PDB file of all heavy atoms in Angstrom:
ATOM      1  N   GLN A   1     -61.940-112.856 150.679  1.00 92.00           N
ATOM      2  CA  GLN A   1     -62.978-113.521 151.483  1.00 92.00           C
ATOM      3  C   GLN A   1     -64.257-112.714 151.376  1.00 92.00           C
ATOM      4  O   GLN A   1     -64.242-111.483 151.420  1.00 92.00           O
ATOM      5  CB  GLN A   1     -62.530-113.644 152.939  1.00 92.00           C
ATOM      6  CG  GLN A   1     -61.380-114.634 153.132  1.00 92.00           C
ATOM      7  CD  GLN A   1     -61.021-114.834 154.587  1.00 92.00           C
ATOM      8  OE1 GLN A   1     -61.177-113.945 155.411  1.00 92.00           O
ATOM      9  NE2 GLN A   1     -60.547-116.041 154.921  1.00 92.00           N
ATOM     10  N   LEU A   2     -65.380-113.420 151.256  1.00 95.00           N
ATOM     11  CA  LEU A   2     -66.677-112.786 151.066  1.00 95.00           C
ATOM     12  C   LEU A   2     -67.605-113.153 152.217  1.00 95.00           C
ATOM     13  O   LEU A   2     -67.693-114.321 152.598  1.00 95.00           O
ATOM     14  CB  LEU A   2     -67.297-113.256 149.742  1.00 95.00           C
ATOM     15  CG  LEU A   2     -66.437-113.084 148.488  1.00 95.00           C
ATOM     16  CD1 LEU A   2     -67.109-113.727 147.280  1.00 95.00           C
ATOM     17  CD2 LEU A   2     -66.171-111.613 148.227  1.00 95.00           C
ATOM     18  N   VAL A   3     -68.301-112.159 152.740  1.00 95.00           N
ATOM     19  CA  VAL A   3     -69.251-112.381 153.829  1.00 95.00           C
ATOM     20  C   VAL A   3     -70.587-111.759 153.455  1.00 95.00           C
ATOM     21  O   VAL A   3     -70.677-110.546 153.225  1.00 95.00           O
ATOM     22  CB  VAL A   3     -68.747-111.778 155.157  1.00 95.00           C
ATOM     23  CG1 VAL A   3     -69.789-111.993 156.257  1.00 95.00           C
ATOM     24  CG2 VAL A   3     -67.422-112.402 155.551  1.00 95.00           C
ATOM     25  N   GLU A   4     -71.632-112.593 153.394  1.00 96.00           N
ATOM     26  CA  GLU A   4     -72.966-112.112 153.048  1.00 96.00           C
ATOM     27  C   GLU A   4     -73.769-111.793 154.310  1.00 96.00           C
ATOM     28  O   GLU A   4     -73.543-112.376 155.370  1.00 96.00           O
ATOM     29  CB  GLU A   4     -73.761-113.151 152.240  1.00 96.00           C
ATOM     30  CG  GLU A   4     -73.094-113.650 150.976  1.00 96.00           C
ATOM     31  CD  GLU A   4     -72.419-114.971 151.186  1.00 96.00           C
ATOM     32  OE1 GLU A   4     -71.991-115.248 152.324  1.00 96.00           O
ATOM     33  OE2 GLU A   4     -72.312-115.741 150.197  1.00 96.00           O
ATOM     34  N   SER A   5     -74.732-110.900 154.141  1.00 96.00           N
ATOM     35  CA  SER A   5     -75.692-110.606 155.198  1.00 96.00           C
ATOM     36  C   SER A   5     -76.945-110.013 154.552  1.00 96.00           C
ATOM     37  O   SER A   5     -76.943-109.716 153.354  1.00 96.00           O
ATOM     38  CB  SER A   5     -75.111-109.635 156.231  1.00 96.00           C
ATOM     39  OG  SER A   5     -74.793-108.404 155.615  1.00 96.00           O
ATOM     40  N   GLY A   6     -77.980-109.851 155.374  1.00 97.00           N
ATOM     41  CA  GLY A   6     -79.196-109.216 154.876  1.00 97.00           C
ATOM     42  C   GLY A   6     -80.344-110.157 154.601  1.00 97.00           C
ATOM     43  O   GLY A   6     -81.449-109.717 154.302  1.00 97.00           O
ATOM     44  N   GLY A   7     -80.091-111.458 154.699  1.00 96.00           N
ATOM     45  CA  GLY A   7     -81.172-112.404 154.481  1.00 96.00           C
ATOM     46  C   GLY A   7     -82.168-112.382 155.633  1.00 96.00           C
ATOM     47  O   GLY A   7     -81.952-111.743 156.652  1.00 96.00           O
ATOM     48  N   GLY A   8     -83.280-113.085 155.434  1.00 97.00           N
ATOM     49  CA  GLY A   8     -84.286-113.147 156.485  1.00 97.00           C
ATOM     50  C   GLY A   8     -85.602-113.665 155.958  1.00 97.00           C
ATOM     51  O   GLY A   8     -85.670-114.234 154.870  1.00 97.00           O
ATOM     52  N   LEU A   9     -86.631-113.463 156.758  1.00 98.00           N
ATOM     53  CA  LEU A   9     -87.987-113.900 156.420  1.00 98.00           C
ATOM     54  C   LEU A   9     -88.808-112.692 156.006  1.00 98.00           C
ATOM     55  O   LEU A   9     -88.817-111.675 156.712  1.00 98.00           O
ATOM     56  CB  LEU A   9     -88.626-114.587 157.625  1.00 98.00           C
ATOM     57  CG  LEU A   9     -90.102-114.979 157.507  1.00 98.00           C
ATOM     58  CD1 LEU A   9     -90.293-116.019 156.409  1.00 98.00           C
ATOM     59  CD2 LEU A   9     -90.612-115.491 158.842  1.00 98.00           C
ATOM     60  N   VAL A  10     -89.477-112.809 154.870  1.00 98.00           N
ATOM     61  CA  VAL A  10     -90.286-111.704 154.372  1.00 98.00           C
ATOM     62  C   VAL A  10     -91.539-112.273 153.715  1.00 98.00           C
ATOM     63  O   VAL A  10     -91.516-113.403 153.202  1.00 98.00           O
ATOM     64  CB  VAL A  10     -89.475-110.839 153.379  1.00 98.00           C
ATOM     65  CG1 VAL A  10     -89.104-111.627 152.131  1.00 98.00           C
ATOM     66  CG2 VAL A  10     -90.204-109.564 153.018  1.00 98.00           C
ATOM     67  N   GLN A  11     -92.602-111.500 153.717  1.00 98.00           N
ATOM     68  CA  GLN A  11     -93.823-111.939 153.044  1.00 98.00           C
ATOM     69  C   GLN A  11     -93.719-111.710 151.535  1.00 98.00           C
ATOM     70  O   GLN A  11     -92.978-110.827 151.085  1.00 98.00           O
ATOM     71  CB  GLN A  11     -95.032-111.183 153.591  1.00 98.00           C
ATOM     72  CG  GLN A  11     -95.439-111.598 154.997  1.00 98.00           C
ATOM     73  CD  GLN A  11     -96.744-110.975 155.428  1.00 98.00           C
ATOM     74  OE1 GLN A  11     -97.114-109.900 154.971  1.00 98.00           O
ATOM     75  NE2 GLN A  11     -97.466-111.655 156.312  1.00 98.00           N
ATOM     76  N   ALA A  12     -94.476-112.488 150.790  1.00 98.00           N
ATOM     77  CA  ALA A  12     -94.511-112.309 149.347  1.00 98.00           C
ATOM     78  C   ALA A  12     -94.877-110.868 149.011  1.00 98.00           C
ATOM     79  O   ALA A  12     -95.760-110.279 149.644  1.00 98.00           O
ATOM     80  CB  ALA A  12     -95.515-113.275 148.726  1.00 98.00           C
ATOM     81  N   GLY A  13     -94.173-110.320 148.032  1.00 98.00           N
ATOM     82  CA  GLY A  13     -94.372-108.931 147.654  1.00 98.00           C
ATOM     83  C   GLY A  13     -93.439-107.966 148.358  1.00 98.00           C
ATOM     84  O   GLY A  13     -93.365-106.790 147.978  1.00 98.00           O
ATOM     85  N   GLY A  14     -92.759-108.452 149.375  1.00 98.00           N
ATOM     86  CA  GLY A  14     -91.849-107.609 150.133  1.00 98.00           C
ATOM     87  C   GLY A  14     -90.481-107.485 149.490  1.00 98.00           C
ATOM     88  O   GLY A  14     -90.237-107.982 148.372  1.00 98.00           O
ATOM     89  N   SER A  15     -89.577-106.822 150.210  1.00 98.00           N
ATOM     90  CA  SER A  15     -88.235-106.553 149.698  1.00 98.00           C
ATOM     91  C   SER A  15     -87.176-106.922 150.725  1.00 98.00           C
ATOM     92  O   SER A  15     -87.430-106.886 151.936  1.00 98.00           O
ATOM     93  CB  SER A  15     -88.085-105.069 149.350  1.00 98.00           C
ATOM     94  OG  SER A  15     -88.994-104.683 148.339  1.00 98.00           O
ATOM     95  N   LEU A  16     -86.015-107.255 150.222  1.00 98.00           N
ATOM     96  CA  LEU A  16     -84.828-107.464 151.043  1.00 98.00           C
ATOM     97  C   LEU A  16     -83.624-106.943 150.274  1.00 98.00           C
ATOM     98  O   LEU A  16     -83.626-106.935 149.033  1.00 98.00           O
ATOM     99  CB  LEU A  16     -84.615-108.946 151.353  1.00 98.00           C
ATOM    100  CG  LEU A  16     -85.450-109.608 152.436  1.00 98.00           C
ATOM    101  CD1 LEU A  16     -85.151-111.100 152.487  1.00 98.00           C
ATOM    102  CD2 LEU A  16     -85.209-108.976 153.798  1.00 98.00           C
ATOM    103  N   ARG A  17     -82.602-106.554 151.022  1.00 98.00           N
ATOM    104  CA  ARG A  17     -81.353-106.141 150.402  1.00 98.00           C
ATOM    105  C   ARG A  17     -80.223-106.971 150.975  1.00 98.00           C
ATOM    106  O   ARG A  17     -80.025-106.981 152.199  1.00 98.00           O
ATOM    107  CB  ARG A  17     -81.082-104.653 150.634  1.00 98.00           C
ATOM    108  CG  ARG A  17     -79.986-104.099 149.740  1.00 98.00           C
ATOM    109  CD  ARG A  17     -79.716-102.640 150.020  1.00 98.00           C
ATOM    110  NE  ARG A  17     -78.980-102.014 148.927  1.00 98.00           N
ATOM    111  CZ  ARG A  17     -78.323-100.863 149.032  1.00 98.00           C
ATOM    112  NH1 ARG A  17     -78.333-100.206 150.181  1.00 98.00           N
ATOM    113  NH2 ARG A  17     -77.695-100.376 147.988  1.00 98.00           N
ATOM    114  N   LEU A  18     -79.540-107.675 150.106  1.00 98.00           N
ATOM    115  CA  LEU A  18     -78.416-108.491 150.517  1.00 98.00           C
ATOM    116  C   LEU A  18     -77.118-107.708 150.347  1.00 98.00           C
ATOM    117  O   LEU A  18     -76.979-106.917 149.420  1.00 98.00           O
ATOM    118  CB  LEU A  18     -78.354-109.778 149.698  1.00 98.00           C
ATOM    119  CG  LEU A  18     -79.589-110.676 149.728  1.00 98.00           C
ATOM    120  CD1 LEU A  18     -79.315-111.960 148.957  1.00 98.00           C
ATOM    121  CD2 LEU A  18     -80.024-110.975 151.140  1.00 98.00           C
ATOM    122  N   PHE A  19     -76.191-107.976 151.264  1.00 97.00           N
ATOM    123  CA  PHE A  19     -74.892-107.325 151.246  1.00 97.00           C
ATOM    124  C   PHE A  19     -73.803-108.389 151.158  1.00 97.00           C
ATOM    125  O   PHE A  19     -73.903-109.443 151.777  1.00 97.00           O
ATOM    126  CB  PHE A  19     -74.668-106.522 152.530  1.00 97.00           C
ATOM    127  CG  PHE A  19     -75.696-105.468 152.791  1.00 97.00           C
ATOM    128  CD1 PHE A  19     -76.929-105.798 153.333  1.00 97.00           C
ATOM    129  CD2 PHE A  19     -75.430-104.142 152.502  1.00 97.00           C
ATOM    130  CE1 PHE A  19     -77.888-104.822 153.589  1.00 97.00           C
ATOM    131  CE2 PHE A  19     -76.378-103.155 152.752  1.00 97.00           C
ATOM    132  CZ  PHE A  19     -77.610-103.502 153.289  1.00 97.00           C
ATOM    133  N   CYS A  20     -72.759-108.085 150.415  1.00 95.00           N
ATOM    134  CA  CYS A  20     -71.599-108.967 150.343  1.00 95.00           C
ATOM    135  C   CYS A  20     -70.366-108.095 150.511  1.00 95.00           C
ATOM    136  O   CYS A  20     -70.055-107.271 149.636  1.00 95.00           O
ATOM    137  CB  CYS A  20     -71.561-109.694 149.010  1.00 95.00           C
ATOM    138  SG  CYS A  20     -70.060-110.653 148.728  1.00 95.00           S
ATOM    139  N   VAL A  21     -69.687-108.279 151.634  1.00 93.00           N
ATOM    140  CA  VAL A  21     -68.496-107.491 151.917  1.00 93.00           C
ATOM    141  C   VAL A  21     -67.262-108.343 151.665  1.00 93.00           C
ATOM    142  O   VAL A  21     -67.143-109.460 152.184  1.00 93.00           O
ATOM    143  CB  VAL A  21     -68.497-106.979 153.361  1.00 93.00           C
ATOM    144  CG1 VAL A  21     -67.252-106.151 153.632  1.00 93.00           C
ATOM    145  CG2 VAL A  21     -69.747-106.147 153.630  1.00 93.00           C
ATOM    146  N   ALA A  22     -66.330-107.811 150.881  1.00 91.00           N
ATOM    147  CA  ALA A  22     -65.090-108.516 150.562  1.00 91.00           C
ATOM    148  C   ALA A  22     -63.977-108.040 151.468  1.00 91.00           C
ATOM    149  O   ALA A  22     -63.888-106.858 151.787  1.00 91.00           O
ATOM    150  CB  ALA A  22     -64.723-108.268 149.104  1.00 91.00           C
ATOM    151  N   SER A  23     -63.141-108.990 151.875  1.00 89.00           N
ATOM    152  CA  SER A  23     -62.045-108.629 152.769  1.00 89.00           C
ATOM    153  C   SER A  23     -60.894-107.988 152.013  1.00 89.00           C
ATOM    154  O   SER A  23     -60.102-107.238 152.576  1.00 89.00           O
ATOM    155  CB  SER A  23     -61.537-109.865 153.510  1.00 89.00           C
ATOM    156  OG  SER A  23     -61.057-110.832 152.581  1.00 89.00           O
ATOM    157  N   GLY A  24     -60.823-108.313 150.715  1.00 76.00           N
ATOM    158  CA  GLY A  24     -59.757-107.728 149.911  1.00 76.00           C
ATOM    159  C   GLY A  24     -60.298-106.631 149.018  1.00 76.00           C
ATOM    160  O   GLY A  24     -61.424-106.177 149.188  1.00 76.00           O
ATOM    161  N   ARG A  25     -59.529-106.264 148.053  1.00 72.00           N
ATOM    162  CA  ARG A  25     -59.951-105.213 147.140  1.00 72.00           C
ATOM    163  C   ARG A  25     -60.708-105.827 145.963  1.00 72.00           C
ATOM    164  O   ARG A  25     -60.140-106.525 145.146  1.00 72.00           O
ATOM    165  CB  ARG A  25     -58.734-104.453 146.624  1.00 72.00           C
ATOM    166  CG  ARG A  25     -58.045-103.616 147.680  1.00 72.00           C
ATOM    167  CD  ARG A  25     -56.822-102.920 147.098  1.00 72.00           C
ATOM    168  NE  ARG A  25     -57.177-102.069 145.977  1.00 72.00           N
ATOM    169  CZ  ARG A  25     -57.607-100.814 146.102  1.00 72.00           C
ATOM    170  NH1 ARG A  25     -57.750-100.303 147.299  1.00 72.00           N
ATOM    171  NH2 ARG A  25     -57.894-100.099 145.047  1.00 72.00           N
ATOM    172  N   ILE A  26     -62.001-105.515 145.894  1.00 71.00           N
ATOM    173  CA  ILE A  26     -62.800-106.082 144.812  1.00 71.00           C
ATOM    174  C   ILE A  26     -62.641-105.299 143.523  1.00 71.00           C
ATOM    175  O   ILE A  26     -63.090-105.742 142.476  1.00 71.00           O
ATOM    176  CB  ILE A  26     -64.297-106.168 145.190  1.00 71.00           C
ATOM    177  CG1 ILE A  26     -64.902-104.776 145.322  1.00 71.00           C
ATOM    178  CG2 ILE A  26     -64.482-106.994 146.439  1.00 71.00           C
ATOM    179  CD1 ILE A  26     -66.411-104.812 145.455  1.00 71.00           C
ATOM    180  N   SER A  27     -62.003-104.148 143.599  1.00 72.00           N
ATOM    181  CA  SER A  27     -61.864-103.345 142.379  1.00 72.00           C
ATOM    182  C   SER A  27     -61.048-104.086 141.333  1.00 72.00           C
ATOM    183  O   SER A  27     -61.176-103.826 140.138  1.00 72.00           O
ATOM    184  CB  SER A  27     -61.206-102.004 142.701  1.00 72.00           C
ATOM    185  OG  SER A  27     -59.941-102.198 143.303  1.00 72.00           O
ATOM    186  N   SER A  28     -60.194-105.027 141.800  1.00 76.00           N
ATOM    187  CA  SER A  28     -59.381-105.772 140.847  1.00 76.00           C
ATOM    188  C   SER A  28     -60.090-107.012 140.324  1.00 76.00           C
ATOM    189  O   SER A  28     -59.569-107.703 139.451  1.00 76.00           O
ATOM    190  CB  SER A  28     -58.063-106.191 141.502  1.00 76.00           C
ATOM    191  OG  SER A  28     -58.319-107.052 142.590  1.00 76.00           O
ATOM    192  N   ILE A  29     -61.263-107.301 140.862  1.00 84.00           N
ATOM    193  CA  ILE A  29     -62.039-108.467 140.445  1.00 84.00           C
ATOM    194  C   ILE A  29     -63.019-108.030 139.369  1.00 84.00           C
ATOM    195  O   ILE A  29     -63.858-107.163 139.602  1.00 84.00           O
ATOM    196  CB  ILE A  29     -62.802-109.086 141.626  1.00 84.00           C
ATOM    197  CG1 ILE A  29     -61.812-109.545 142.694  1.00 84.00           C
ATOM    198  CG2 ILE A  29     -63.659-110.254 141.152  1.00 84.00           C
ATOM    199  CD1 ILE A  29     -62.472-110.063 143.947  1.00 84.00           C
ATOM    200  N   HIS A  30     -62.911-108.659 138.206  1.00 88.00           N
ATOM    201  CA  HIS A  30     -63.717-108.205 137.066  1.00 88.00           C
ATOM    202  C   HIS A  30     -65.196-108.508 137.252  1.00 88.00           C
ATOM    203  O   HIS A  30     -66.057-107.666 136.972  1.00 88.00           O
ATOM    204  CB  HIS A  30     -63.201-108.862 135.787  1.00 88.00           C
ATOM    205  CG  HIS A  30     -63.984-108.479 134.573  1.00 88.00           C
ATOM    206  ND1 HIS A  30     -64.207-107.163 134.209  1.00 88.00           N
ATOM    207  CD2 HIS A  30     -64.624-109.225 133.656  1.00 88.00           C
ATOM    208  CE1 HIS A  30     -64.922-107.125 133.106  1.00 88.00           C
ATOM    209  NE2 HIS A  30     -65.199-108.357 132.744  1.00 88.00           N
ATOM    210  N   VAL A  31     -65.510-109.692 137.743  1.00 92.00           N
ATOM    211  CA  VAL A  31     -66.906-110.091 137.837  1.00 92.00           C
ATOM    212  C   VAL A  31     -67.252-110.512 139.258  1.00 92.00           C
ATOM    213  O   VAL A  31     -66.503-111.253 139.902  1.00 92.00           O
ATOM    214  CB  VAL A  31     -67.215-111.268 136.883  1.00 92.00           C
ATOM    215  CG1 VAL A  31     -68.700-111.634 136.968  1.00 92.00           C
ATOM    216  CG2 VAL A  31     -66.843-110.907 135.453  1.00 92.00           C
ATOM    217  N   MET A  32     -68.405-110.042 139.718  1.00 93.00           N
ATOM    218  CA  MET A  32     -68.962-110.514 141.000  1.00 93.00           C
ATOM    219  C   MET A  32     -70.421-110.854 140.763  1.00 93.00           C
ATOM    220  O   MET A  32     -71.068-110.299 139.855  1.00 93.00           O
ATOM    221  CB  MET A  32     -68.822-109.462 142.082  1.00 93.00           C
ATOM    222  CG  MET A  32     -67.374-109.134 142.396  1.00 93.00           C
ATOM    223  SD  MET A  32     -67.159-108.210 143.912  1.00 93.00           S
ATOM    224  CE  MET A  32     -67.542-109.456 145.141  1.00 93.00           C
ATOM    225  N   GLY A  33     -70.913-111.763 141.560  1.00 96.00           N
ATOM    226  CA  GLY A  33     -72.286-112.186 141.319  1.00 96.00           C
ATOM    227  C   GLY A  33     -72.966-112.754 142.543  1.00 96.00           C
ATOM    228  O   GLY A  33     -72.348-112.945 143.600  1.00 96.00           O
ATOM    229  N   TRP A  34     -74.245-112.998 142.378  1.00 98.00           N
ATOM    230  CA  TRP A  34     -75.065-113.652 143.392  1.00 98.00           C
ATOM    231  C   TRP A  34     -75.664-114.925 142.805  1.00 98.00           C
ATOM    232  O   TRP A  34     -76.196-114.908 141.686  1.00 98.00           O
ATOM    233  CB  TRP A  34     -76.194-112.729 143.854  1.00 98.00           C
ATOM    234  CG  TRP A  34     -75.754-111.602 144.728  1.00 98.00           C
ATOM    235  CD1 TRP A  34     -75.439-110.338 144.341  1.00 98.00           C
ATOM    236  CD2 TRP A  34     -75.578-111.648 146.149  1.00 98.00           C
ATOM    237  NE1 TRP A  34     -75.081-109.584 145.427  1.00 98.00           N
ATOM    238  CE2 TRP A  34     -75.164-110.360 146.552  1.00 98.00           C
ATOM    239  CE3 TRP A  34     -75.741-112.634 147.117  1.00 98.00           C
ATOM    240  CZ2 TRP A  34     -74.895-110.042 147.884  1.00 98.00           C
ATOM    241  CZ3 TRP A  34     -75.482-112.316 148.439  1.00 98.00           C
ATOM    242  CH2 TRP A  34     -75.065-111.036 148.810  1.00 98.00           C
ATOM    243  N   PHE A  35     -75.548-115.987 143.560  1.00 98.00           N
ATOM    244  CA  PHE A  35     -76.152-117.263 143.195  1.00 98.00           C
ATOM    245  C   PHE A  35     -77.175-117.627 144.274  1.00 98.00           C
ATOM    246  O   PHE A  35     -77.167-117.050 145.365  1.00 98.00           O
ATOM    247  CB  PHE A  35     -75.087-118.373 143.157  1.00 98.00           C
ATOM    248  CG  PHE A  35     -74.151-118.296 141.985  1.00 98.00           C
ATOM    249  CD1 PHE A  35     -73.165-117.328 141.921  1.00 98.00           C
ATOM    250  CD2 PHE A  35     -74.247-119.211 140.950  1.00 98.00           C
ATOM    251  CE1 PHE A  35     -72.292-117.260 140.843  1.00 98.00           C
ATOM    252  CE2 PHE A  35     -73.378-119.167 139.868  1.00 98.00           C
ATOM    253  CZ  PHE A  35     -72.405-118.189 139.827  1.00 98.00           C
ATOM    254  N   ARG A  36     -78.014-118.590 143.975  1.00 98.00           N
ATOM    255  CA  ARG A  36     -78.915-119.130 144.992  1.00 98.00           C
ATOM    256  C   ARG A  36     -79.081-120.628 144.797  1.00 98.00           C
ATOM    257  O   ARG A  36     -78.904-121.143 143.698  1.00 98.00           O
ATOM    258  CB  ARG A  36     -80.274-118.435 144.966  1.00 98.00           C
ATOM    259  CG  ARG A  36     -81.111-118.667 143.715  1.00 98.00           C
ATOM    260  CD  ARG A  36     -82.365-117.802 143.763  1.00 98.00           C
ATOM    261  NE  ARG A  36     -83.212-117.995 142.587  1.00 98.00           N
ATOM    262  CZ  ARG A  36     -84.286-117.260 142.314  1.00 98.00           C
ATOM    263  NH1 ARG A  36     -84.637-116.267 143.142  1.00 98.00           N
ATOM    264  NH2 ARG A  36     -84.998-117.497 141.234  1.00 98.00           N
ATOM    265  N   GLN A  37     -79.424-121.284 145.904  1.00 98.00           N
ATOM    266  CA  GLN A  37     -79.567-122.736 145.860  1.00 98.00           C
ATOM    267  C   GLN A  37     -80.644-123.183 146.831  1.00 98.00           C
ATOM    268  O   GLN A  37     -80.717-122.693 147.953  1.00 98.00           O
ATOM    269  CB  GLN A  37     -78.244-123.415 146.210  1.00 98.00           C
ATOM    270  CG  GLN A  37     -78.239-124.915 146.000  1.00 98.00           C
ATOM    271  CD  GLN A  37     -76.849-125.505 146.136  1.00 98.00           C
ATOM    272  OE1 GLN A  37     -75.974-124.950 146.804  1.00 98.00           O
ATOM    273  NE2 GLN A  37     -76.622-126.635 145.489  1.00 98.00           N
ATOM    274  N   THR A  38     -81.468-124.114 146.364  1.00 96.00           N
ATOM    275  CA  THR A  38     -82.460-124.753 147.220  1.00 96.00           C
ATOM    276  C   THR A  38     -82.130-126.234 147.297  1.00 96.00           C
ATOM    277  O   THR A  38     -81.450-126.769 146.414  1.00 96.00           O
ATOM    278  CB  THR A  38     -83.877-124.564 146.659  1.00 96.00           C
ATOM    279  OG1 THR A  38     -83.909-125.027 145.296  1.00 96.00           O
ATOM    280  CG2 THR A  38     -84.288-123.102 146.686  1.00 96.00           C
TER     281      THR A  38
END
């Protein structure tokens, strides 16, 4: 199970850091990624 956090409102030019915490062991997962959708 994956839970994201860290999103929010920021001005152009700013920075954010997103976090994704896995409930299981991700070391056995070969690939992880971030997608986005509008």
